[in-house]
């Protein structure tokens, strides 16, 4: 059995139906697609899909053989768990509950959560406290549903290292809470890659492959739309460390090529990423 490699929904043409998207992923050799439920109205509306809409997607998965094992749930950027506004806090929990129910219906195993206490509000000790309180509640729901929650290492100082995640994990103490590192985000903050992954390897649910520009005194960095190989990720070191910790989980190519003018242009961008990453993955013995 070879390692599963997937593609992020936002790398595929936005106008595709889900059947078209899964066929597209299969054509390019991917094993799975990660669904995005971000802060846009269109994608948040998926939380209210009918049973018929959910079943249609399950049928498409079986027809194509391309799975949807993960949801990238960044809707909490708009409705954060740590919000100081009671109506927003209530909405954050409502969307979380609905996302867990959607995952159950679709057979999704992991929901990736954005590691923000708040995004558009001022961070305080209270926003952190509310985030932890509501994350604990979300983990209880996830445990009942047997769906894993995994916090992404972010473009935000709140949780910008696996080490910081591990402090949250210790406080929450849930068997259904994991971490979902991002190679680019971990690297952009100048974390020690060896220490990060050796300390956190037991808690990793999945891994995003992405490049970034580093955070410096002069720059806030760039956390998306950086070509693979053009950013700060030391790919040979990264893959060597993943080999050393015996990481057997999936790789997910995180890209934002959904708004390319043509399908051919999208394919070209994805194939360029594959041409860069796959030889390095094979060289490290991680295929």
């Amino acid at each position: 059995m070879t390692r599963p490699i997937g593609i992020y929904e936002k790398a595929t043409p936005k106008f595709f139906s889900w059947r078209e998207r899964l066929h597209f992923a299969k054509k390019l050799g991917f094993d799975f697609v990660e669904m995005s439920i971000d802060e846009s109205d269109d994608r948040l509306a998926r939380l209210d899909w009918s049973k018929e809409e959910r079943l249609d997607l399950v049928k498409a998965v079986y027809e194509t053989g391309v799975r949807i094992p993960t949801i990238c749930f960044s809707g909490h950027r708009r409705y954060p768990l740590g919000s100081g506004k009671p109506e927003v806090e209530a909405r954050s929990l409502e969307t979380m509950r609905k996302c867990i129910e959607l995952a159950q219906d679709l057979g999704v195993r992991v929901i990736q959560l954005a590691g923000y206490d708040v995004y558009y509000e001022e961070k305080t000790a209270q926003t952190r406290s509310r985030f932890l309180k509501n994350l604990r509640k979300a983990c209880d729901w996830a445990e009942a549903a047997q769906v894993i929650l995994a916090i992404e290492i972010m473009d935000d100082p709140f949780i910008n290292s696996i080490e910081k995640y591990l402090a949250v994990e210790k406080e929450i103490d849930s068997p259904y809470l994991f971490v979902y590192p991002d190679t680019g985000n971990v690297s952009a903050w100048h974390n020690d890659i060896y220490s990060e992954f050796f300390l956190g390897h037991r808690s990793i649910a999945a891994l995003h492959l992405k490049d970034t520009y580093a955070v410096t005194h002069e720059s806030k960095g760039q956390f998306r739309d950086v070509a693979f190989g053009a950013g700060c990720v030391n790919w040979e070191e990264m893959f060597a460390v993943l080999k050393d910790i015996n990481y057997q989980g999936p790789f997910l190519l995180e890209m934002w090529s959904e708004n390319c003018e043509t399908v051919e242009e999208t394919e070209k961008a994805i194939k360029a990423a594959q041409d860069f990453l796959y030889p390095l993955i094979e060289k490290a013995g991680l295929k």
Side-chain angles (χ1 to χ4, degrees):
M1 183 177 180
T2 57
R3 180 184 308 276
I5 297 182
I7 188 71
Y8 188 36
E9 176 191 341
K10 289 186 178 182
T12 67
K14 194 170 185 178
F15 56 84
F16 271 179
S17 69
W18 269 101
R19 267 185 177 74
E20 290 171 328
R21 180 169 292 111
L22 297 179
H23 279 294
F24 179 77
K26 186 173 185 176
K27 174 186 173 184
L28 293 179
F30 291 106
D31 303 293
F32 67 94
V33 174
E34 180 168 271
M35 177 183 285
S36 167
I37 298 182
D38 60 20
E39 58 186 321
S40 67
D41 289 338
D42 286 349
R43 287 190 165 115
L44 282 172
R46 294 171 174 178
L47 300 176
D48 295 308
W49 271 347
S50 67
K51 292 291 184 184
E52 290 75 20
E53 289 172 305
R54 297 172 192 220
L55 180 59
D56 187 58
L57 182 50
V58 171
K59 288 178 179 178
V61 167
Y62 274 88
E63 288 169 11
T64 60
V66 177
R67 301 177 296 116
I68 306 175
T70 54
I71 290 174
C72 178
F73 182 48
S74 53
H76 277 157
R77 181 186 290 216
R78 181 174 173 184
Y79 302 112
L81 291 170
S83 178
K85 302 172 183 176
E87 68 279 7
V88 175
E89 182 185 10
R91 186 70 185 273
S92 76
L93 288 169
E94 179 190 20
T95 57
M96 184 76 265
R97 178 182 54 78
K98 287 183 176 181
C99 193
I100 291 170
E101 291 172 355
L102 179 66
Q104 270 191 306
D105 287 346
L106 298 181
V108 168
R109 290 162 171 76
V110 177
I111 298 173
Q112 182 199 71
L113 301 183
Y116 304 121
D117 53 347
V118 291
Y119 189 78
Y120 298 112
E121 301 175 37
E122 181 183 355
K123 296 174 182 296
T124 65
Q126 289 71 37
T127 59
R128 178 183 179 84
S129 178
R130 277 189 295 270
F131 170 82
L132 293 170
K133 175 195 71 174
N134 291 324
L135 179 60
R136 174 70 260 183
K137 189 176 293 185
C139 286
D140 289 345
W141 295 339
E143 186 171 350
Q146 295 181 295
V147 173
I148 288 170
L149 303 183
I151 295 179
E152 183 180 12
I153 305 306
M154 298 306 298
D155 56 349
D156 178 276
F158 185 67
I159 301 179
N160 62 358
S161 68
I162 297 175
E163 182 182 5
K164 284 186 178 180
Y165 161 76
L166 290 172
V168 172
E169 179 185 83
K170 187 172 182 179
E171 183 161 353
I172 298 298
D173 193 27
S174 168
Y176 277 79
L177 185 65
F178 285 75
V179 68
Y180 197 140
D182 179 306
T183 58
N185 293 357
V186 170
S187 299
W189 295 100
H190 307 281
N191 291 299
D192 181 80
I193 299 304
Y194 178 90
S195 298
E196 285 284 284
F197 283 92
F198 269 86
L199 284 171
H201 73 279
R202 291 176 179 268
S203 298
I204 297 173
L207 188 74
H208 275 173
L209 301 183
K210 186 184 77 179
D211 221 332
T212 50
Y213 294 138
V215 176
T216 67
H217 292 298
E218 294 78 31
S219 171
K220 294 181 179 180
Q222 184 173 325
F223 291 87
R224 53 174 289 175
D225 297 315
V226 177
F228 287 98
C232 65
V233 177
N234 183 331
W235 288 101
E236 291 205 3
E237 178 195 16
M238 181 69 67
F239 288 135
V241 169
L242 293 173
K243 177 68 173 178
D244 285 346
I245 66 170
N246 194 33
Y247 176 71
Q248 298 295 325
F251 288 145
L252 189 283
L253 275 64
E254 188 175 26
M255 302 173 61
W256 289 266
S257 43
E258 66 178 359
N259 291 318
C260 289
E261 291 186 6
T262 65
V263 174
E264 291 73 23
E265 189 179 340
T266 304
E267 282 191 33
K268 184 178 178 181
I270 293 171
K271 286 179 178 177
Q274 291 172 311
D275 289 344
F276 176 81
L277 290 168
Y278 287 8
L280 293 170
I281 291 170
E282 188 165 2
K283 181 180 178 182
L286 290 168
K287 192 172 180 182

